[in-house]
Amino acid sequence: MDRVQDEKKLPSHDDTFNPNFPSLHNVSEDSGPRNFMDPPASPFRLKADTSSDEALRQIRTANTISISPELFEKLYLTPQKAVKGDLRSTLANPTPVALLGFLLSCSPLACELMGWRGAGGNGAATLGSYYFFGGLLMTLGGILEFVLGNTFAFVVFCSYGGFWFTLGSTLTPFYDAYGAYAKDPTKPYEGLTSEGFHASFGFFLLFMGFLSLLYLICALRTNLVFVTIFFGLFMTFVILTGSYWNIAVNQGAVAARLQIASGAFAFLACLAGWWAFIIALRVCGSKLTVPGRWIFFAQMLASVDFPFQIPVGDISHLIRSGTEKAKDMERFSA
């Protein structure tokens, strides 16, 4: 009878342990529900060189997903911050639409400032793009960056979106911004050529240049493409300020040359912007960069998982963050 009972005895958990299957041996009390159908609780990490198939497999099977700072920066163009929630895995990347708004308003304006093919008129011909591309899309993208917790991108996109709204409304007859400077109230368009209008509007351009300089300094913690964009915009605003102030003192020849120079720097910023846009659509893992319509191009390729890589020039490692320095100080003092 004892032998029969031993044969009918169920095997113990130790006898049937399968190292390839989740077990109570490696489930702690704080590791969540003990359901063998649940995936392992340990997080996976997506790196910049992770293939799309491997990334999708890990996303489908893992409880949590983390991406490398370099990959995050190419998607959102800002250093990664610790933000609670999973909105980044729920919402689309808003960076490309904000960049698109900037590019389709600034690129034509740059060509107009340089006078290509007889263009001119202070960009009045493309007034609609200032509202519906530059103003609307950049502000919308900035608000969505705010939702995702990207402070730098939020402030940059919303501030430049405000610039395009300001420029558009200044050139719109309904707001009569330049009409206040016209000597004849029945001819408000004469205000566009008045000394007072150009001297006054130059101050707005000057402080936009100062703002771009602050962004340029902050961009030293991101990548070379952003540095190129902000450098181009800084030079554009400063030189264009000189052009407006020279018009105010009847130095038309000097003002014309300065306007062409400002358009050239604006075009440089747009070239870098196009590259930034495509980076948002194609995640890549190179360290070199070329300025130009670079960011836009790279953003677009990242979104469709294009098979070749586009560099952005990651320089975030050159200037250490304040958090890293604080941690070093704590280790030294301990």
Side-chain angles (χ1 to χ4, degrees), residues 39-287:
S42 59
F44 291 92
R45 180 171 179 81
L46 300 183
K47 299 182 179 180
D49 56 353
T50 303
S51 66
S52 58
D53 293 337
E54 177 64 15
L56 289 175
R57 186 191 67 80
Q58 293 187 13
I59 290 172
R60 291 192 186 104
T61 59
N63 285 335
T64 58
I65 290 291
S66 62
I67 62 177
S68 67
E70 180 184 1
L71 177 57
F72 182 93
E73 185 178 340
K74 289 172 182 175
L75 286 173
Y76 297 100
L77 304 181
T78 184
Q80 186 175 4
K81 296 289 184 66
V83 179
K84 295 182 179 180
D86 58 349
L87 288 177
R88 292 193 179 100
S89 61
T90 304
L91 302 178
N93 180 11
T95 303
V97 71
L99 287 170
L100 182 64
F102 165 74
L103 293 170
L104 290 183
S105 52
C106 189
S107 297
L109 178 60
C111 298
E112 293 168 13
L113 290 175
M114 290 186 289
W116 286 359
R117 299 190 61 83
N122 289 325
T126 52
L127 178 63
S129 67
Y130 306 155
Y131 283 111
F132 300 107
F133 276 100
L136 178 62
L137 293 187
M138 293 199 74
T139 303
L140 176 62
I143 293 173
L144 293 177
E145 294 283 5
F146 167 79
V147 173
L148 294 178
N150 300 329
T151 303
F152 182 62
F154 157 62
V155 176
V156 168
F157 291 148
C158 285
S159 59
Y160 283 121
F163 165 77
W164 290 114
F165 277 130
T166 302
L167 180 61
S169 60
T170 301
L171 297 176
T172 301
F174 173 79
Y175 295 101
D176 200 32
Y178 51 81
Y181 297 91
K183 296 180 180 180
D184 187 352
T186 63
K187 299 178 180 179
Y189 55 86
E190 292 181 350
L192 285 172
T193 59
S194 66
E195 297 177 3
F197 172 78
H198 287 88
S200 301
F201 196 73
F203 283 104
F204 174 64
L205 297 174
L206 176 65
F207 285 102
M208 283 300 304
F210 178 71
L211 179 64
S212 299
L213 176 61
L214 298 182
Y215 291 157
L216 173 60
I217 296 173
C218 295
L220 297 176
R221 279 279 300 146
T222 57
N223 54 65
L224 289 179
V225 179
F226 250 23
V227 170
T228 303
I229 291 175
F230 291 126
F231 172 75
L233 292 176
F234 166 68
M235 295 298 297
T236 297
F237 287 122
V238 171
I239 296 175
L240 197 58
T241 299
S243 176
Y244 270 67
W245 283 351
N246 274 275
I247 293 177
V249 295
N250 297 319
Q251 296 292 327
V254 177
R257 290 194 293 269
L258 290 175
Q259 178 178 303
I260 294 174
S262 67
F265 279 105
F267 193 75
L268 171 66
C270 291
L271 289 177
W274 283 107
W275 193 254
F277 178 83
I278 302 212
I279 290 177
L281 303 181
R282 171 66 184 105
V283 176
C284 56
S286 178
K287 293 288 184 184

